Amino acid sequence: MLVPLKKLTRLIPLFTFILVTPSLIAAEVNVYSARKEALIKPLLDKFSAESGIKVNLVTAKGDALLTRLKSEGLNSPADVLITTDAGRLYRAQQADVLQPIASEMLSESIPAHLRSPENFWFGLSVRARAIVYSNNRVQPTNLSTYEALTEPQWKGRICIRSSSNIYNQSLVAGMLATQGEKKTASWLAAFVPNFARPPQGGDRDQVAAIAAGLCDVAVVNSYYLGAMIKSSDPKQQAAAAKVGIFWPNQEDRGTHINVSGAGVTSASKNREQAIALIEFLARSDSQTWYAESNNEYPSRAGVDPGELLKSWGDFKADQVDVSELGRLNAQAVMAMDRASWK
Ligand code: FE
């Protein structure tokens, strides 16, 4: 049956629309994520449901993903890199696997010190490196700063993971950025001899060591304590119940923080979709989800961090530009090495 001409002309704009937007119909974005699937997938699914953009997710360890991006070069299928620690994001930027993006939404919602000054990456959640202490053996009134952990009263009482861990490297880099080389070196020289044991294990293991009586204080990322409190493993819960959390350096520069964040890869073939995804992750509702499921802090102001984090109280965070943590990483590693931090 022939369609009357009048009807056909009315249909033409519709056909044109369909023809010029094939990329929207087949829209997808490929994500390399150092965040575990359970900690990111529900958000990505929500993004797909809202935008119609399919997300293909590859998860691996942060350093492995960076190696992979470097070896794939411009042939990489990845559009977005999601990874933890500004040190790693900075390394990715230095390795030319990220490209700068212009997004008014991101520049307005993510504070300047939590993103790359050149817009290569954006901090989407904040992690704080706190002091945890034994509820039985430590009076929190005796705690004050990272620097004060060098006092003789802490001799043989501190647990902390190894210097090969980027969280500690960033902690020291932050100190280099704010206190300078000389003060950092003296801090390290007095801090390391106070360790209760050779550095070993992850942050959760330090909390467990306090609970087991092997040490009395530890420096850990607060979300690990959150994960232990919410754990389904009664052993983890019991260990977490034996410690309190203390925010150091409240009278001066603030507690050391870091970010986990995302950037668009240099190889991205779906740049628009990649930016849309990062903008989605920076939205207030996404940030609340991040806080509630990862126990990290939102990177944008005014976002509800959920009950557990609220119960730990507000704290003053170090305002140093987190990209400095990346820039000073090599120097931090050398300083730790000189102080024999294993
Ligand atoms: Fe971690």
Side-chain angles (χ1 to χ4, degrees):
M1 199 184 86
L2 277 173
V3 182
L5 189 62
K6 226 176 163 187
K7 230 180 192 172
L8 195 62
T9 34
R10 257 189 283 140
L11 285 172
I12 285 169
L14 184 66
F15 287 136
T16 321
F17 176 74
I18 292 168
L19 285 173
V20 297
T21 54
S23 65
L24 271 184
I25 293 163
E28 57 178 12
V29 61
N30 299 313
V31 175
Y32 280 8
S33 171
R35 306 229 74 147
K36 291 195 194 90
E37 188 164 337
L39 297 182
I40 188 81
K41 186 81 176 14
L43 266 185
L44 300 180
D45 288 346
K46 193 174 169 209
F47 169 73
S48 293
E50 281 185 22
S51 65
I53 299 170
K54 186 177 172 229
V55 180
N56 304 307
L57 177 66
V58 170
T59 59
K61 294 253 184 221
D63 295 330
L65 286 177
L66 181 54
T67 306
R68 184 164 165 179
L69 278 174
K70 280 198 269 186
S71 67
E72 288 172 345
L74 290 176
N75 296 319
S76 176
D79 297 299
V80 173
L81 172 68
I82 298 177
T83 195
T84 55
D85 206 288
R88 277 203 195 93
L89 289 159
Y90 184 87
R91 270 180 215 166
Q93 176 183 343
Q94 293 298 105
D96 287 331
V97 300
L98 296 179
Q99 61 171 297
I101 54 172
S103 160
E104 218 170 284
M105 186 273 183
L106 290 173
S107 306
E108 276 169 15
S109 51
I110 312 290
H113 68 291
L114 302 179
R115 53 182 155 90
S116 138
E118 305 86 10
N119 296 315
F120 280 92
W121 46 266
F122 298 83
L124 297 171
S125 60
V126 169
R127 48 260 312 279
R129 202 141 180 80
I131 296 177
V132 291
Y133 60 91
S134 160
N135 284 332
N136 298 327
R137 301 181 300 276
V138 173
Q139 286 294 331
T141 46
N142 287 331
L143 292 165
S144 57
T145 60
Y146 300 108
E147 286 86 338
L149 292 176
T150 60
E151 290 166 359
Q153 63 165 321
W154 304 113
K155 181 101 196 145
R157 299 174 72 191
I158 300 171
C159 274
I160 192 161
R161 68 201 286 180
S162 104
S163 62
S164 64
N165 170 256
I166 199 159
Y167 304 154
N168 286 334
Q169 293 169 6
S170 288
L171 173 72
V172 175
M175 204 172 273
L176 282 168
T178 56
Q179 310 302 299
E181 205 173 340
K182 226 173 138 195
K183 273 193 186 166
T184 304
S186 355
W187 176 70
L188 283 166
F191 178 58
V192 175
N194 278 353
F195 291 179
R197 57 175 188 174
Q200 55 197 271
D203 281 2
R204 278 190 190 84
D205 298 309
Q206 316 311 321
V207 175
I210 295 177
L214 297 173
C215 46
D216 297 332
V217 295
V219 180
V220 303
N221 283 358
S222 61
Y223 59 83
Y224 285 114
L225 182 61
M228 291 175 84
I229 290 170
K230 292 180 183 172
S231 171
S232 54
D233 178 356
K235 267 198 213 149
Q236 299 245 330
Q237 274 183 33
K242 290 188 175 168
V243 307
I245 189 163
F246 181 85
W247 303 117
N249 298 74
Q250 293 305 286
E251 306 300 317
D252 48 63
R253 66 184 179 277
T255 298
H256 171 74
I257 57 162
N258 206 320
V259 294
S260 67
V264 176
T265 66
S266 306
S268 177
K269 283 143 203 100
N270 303 292
R271 194 168 182 273
E272 224 175 284
Q273 290 78 4
I275 295 172
L277 173 59
I278 298 176
E279 288 179 343
F280 172 85
L281 295 174
R283 253 167 45 177
S284 295
D285 53 338
S286 305
Q287 297 256 305
T288 297
W289 187 90
Y290 247 117
E292 280 175 350
S293 48
N294 296 356
N295 308 299
E296 286 179 75
Y297 290 86
S299 55
R300 57 190 288 170
V303 176
D304 186 345
E307 288 313 310
L308 176 67
L309 300 197
K310 272 192 256 177
S311 77
W312 289 343
D314 283 336
F315 67 94
K316 177 180 167 187
D318 195 335
Q319 295 294 302
V320 71
D321 195 318
V322 293
S323 61
E324 286 290 283
L325 309 179
R327 193 180 63 80
L328 293 163
N329 178 271
Q331 205 183 322
V333 172
M334 274 194 287
M336 292 161 100
D337 198 45
R338 260 182 241 123
S340 303
W341 183 336
K342 295 278 180 292

